Amino acid sequence: VAVGHWYVGLVMYGLGDFAAAQAHFGQMISFYDPQEHHGPCLGIHGSDAGVGALAYDACCLWALGYPEKGLERREEALALARELDHPFTLADVLCYGGCVFDRMRRDARALKDNAEELIRVAKDMALPSWLGHGIYFRGEAMVRLGKVQAGMVHMREGIAAVEAVRVRILRTGVLCALAEAEANSGLPEKGLATLAEALALVEETVERHWEAEIYRVQAELLHMQGEDAAAEASYLGAIEVARQQAARSWELRAATGLARLWLEQGKGEEACQMLAAIYGWFTEGFDTPDLMEAKALLDELSSA
């Protein structure tokens, strides 16, 4: 029964229903004792379901607006995964509780470290899908650390490696980050085409856990192109998706972008009211990049 909750949680997470996913992962976590259940709780592909639930739960907590609780959960998952003598579980946790969580919270250095460890584990155990993801995540970290061109080479290498083994999970978010990198390298039109591919994949696969971020990045790129009406529509689309998913962290990030756009358009009062409403919901994580940026913009709006 507990492993059944884990499977349902995975499906709900992929669909972007973070609250439902977290509830199911919580059922798995409450049941799981690593000493008693390691082995009998092996889930999909042989990964330890109890440890995996901790990793996925961390991502859900971040999305739902609890970045500190999510970080605590991810540290618990990584510590336990490293204690167990089960490389596939470690690879699974390094991917989700490590790399995916790091990119959610915009921690490029942690992303690079976890990606490098994922690559080592995947090479040692001949796990081609995890290796491809590790290479891709290493490239994304490099881009976010300023090595855009070199990072994009690794990103594309990782994407090709994952495609070669016919794995599509996480691809929507992967394409979203690639689009950002393309825009940062001076190719916003190519980035927009990549985002269109990502959105088509969202509709085809119903993988929606990164959907709000795809619309937000689309808005950023449209704004770079001077298409502010379309950019505003994309920001609003990102906020609407995030609200449907109760994904407060995605909502805050999109609201901050929209508030900047409105400020440029002379709509500072509306921007302040909109951003203050979502920022005021948070009770933790005030030292994280998203909340610090939102607070700085609110201060600017208040003094304008």
Side-chain angles (χ1 to χ4, degrees):
V1 174
V3 176
H5 281 292
W6 185 74
Y7 279 110
V8 176
L10 283 177
V11 173
M12 293 297 102
Y13 174 79
L15 292 171
D17 191 341
F18 299 108
Q22 209 234 341
H24 285 286
F25 290 136
Q27 290 290 322
M28 179 71 237
I29 292 165
S30 66
F31 168 80
Y32 181 73
D33 181 320
Q35 300 304 319
E36 180 181 353
H37 297 123
H38 176 50
C41 282
L42 292 180
I44 190 169
H45 304 312
S47 176
D48 188 293
V51 187
L54 293 168
Y56 300 120
D57 191 52
C59 295
C60 291
L61 284 165
W62 182 91
L64 291 167
Y66 301 100
E68 291 179 9
K69 291 183 178 66
L71 182 58
E72 291 172 4
R73 187 67 96 189
R74 105 59 173 269
E75 293 301 319
E76 182 182 0
L78 284 171
L80 186 54
R82 288 173 178 138
E83 289 176 13
L84 298 174
D85 184 20
H86 197 261
F88 198 98
T89 295
L90 179 56
D92 187 31
V93 172
L94 281 168
C95 182
Y96 283 90
C99 296
V100 173
F101 186 82
D102 290 331
R103 63 202 298 255
M104 282 177 153
R105 68 187 185 124
R106 297 165 57 193
D107 188 338
R109 294 195 180 279
L111 175 59
K112 188 172 186 298
D113 290 343
N114 283 314
E116 296 286 2
E117 186 176 358
L118 176 57
I119 290 169
R120 289 194 298 271
V121 172
K123 283 183 176 179
D124 288 345
M125 299 305 297
L127 303 171
S129 174
W130 294 129
L131 177 59
H133 279 110
I135 293 169
Y136 159 77
F137 285 129
R138 178 174 62 187
E140 181 179 343
M142 291 172 66
V143 168
R144 296 188 184 282
L145 290 169
K147 298 179 179 178
V148 177
Q149 296 301 328
M152 287 176 65
V153 171
H154 287 280
M155 291 176 78
R156 292 195 172 108
E157 179 187 350
I159 290 169
V162 174
E163 286 180 343
V165 292
R166 300 183 181 275
V167 172
R168 303 178 81 190
I169 193 168
L170 298 178
R171 185 167 173 78
T172 56
V174 164
L175 290 173
C176 181
L178 179 61
E180 282 188 282
E182 289 168 339
N184 289 336
S185 68
L187 299 170
E189 300 92 345
K190 187 170 180 58
L192 286 168
T194 300
L195 289 173
E197 181 184 349
L199 288 170
L201 195 60
V202 167
E203 295 307 315
E204 178 188 347
T205 65
V206 205
E207 183 183 70
R208 299 190 180 278
H209 65 100
W210 217 262
E211 184 179 10
E213 183 71 345
I214 296 171
Y215 281 114
R216 185 198 67 82
V217 174
Q218 183 182 62
E220 298 282 347
L221 271 58
L222 287 167
H223 181 49
M224 289 174 63
Q225 297 281 77
E227 300 178 37
D228 285 355
E232 181 175 352
S234 289
Y235 277 129
L236 290 170
I239 291 170
E240 177 61 25
V241 169
R243 286 176 177 171
Q244 290 173 359
Q245 297 176 347
R248 301 286 187 171
S249 292
W250 290 137
E251 182 181 349
L252 177 69
R253 193 176 294 178
T256 301
L258 180 58
R260 287 197 190 99
L261 178 62
W262 280 355
L263 178 60
E264 292 176 12
Q265 296 174 341
K267 298 190 290 186
E269 184 175 349
E270 295 95 323
C272 188
Q273 291 175 354
M274 183 266 302
L275 185 56
I278 178 60
Y279 180 85
W281 180 90
F282 283 82
T283 59
E284 63 177 64
F286 295 104
D287 60 345
T288 59
D290 288 314
L291 282 149
M292 288 193 295
E293 287 181 13
K295 179 61 166 60
L297 182 53
L298 278 170
D299 291 344
E300 182 182 351
L301 290 165
S302 298
S303 61

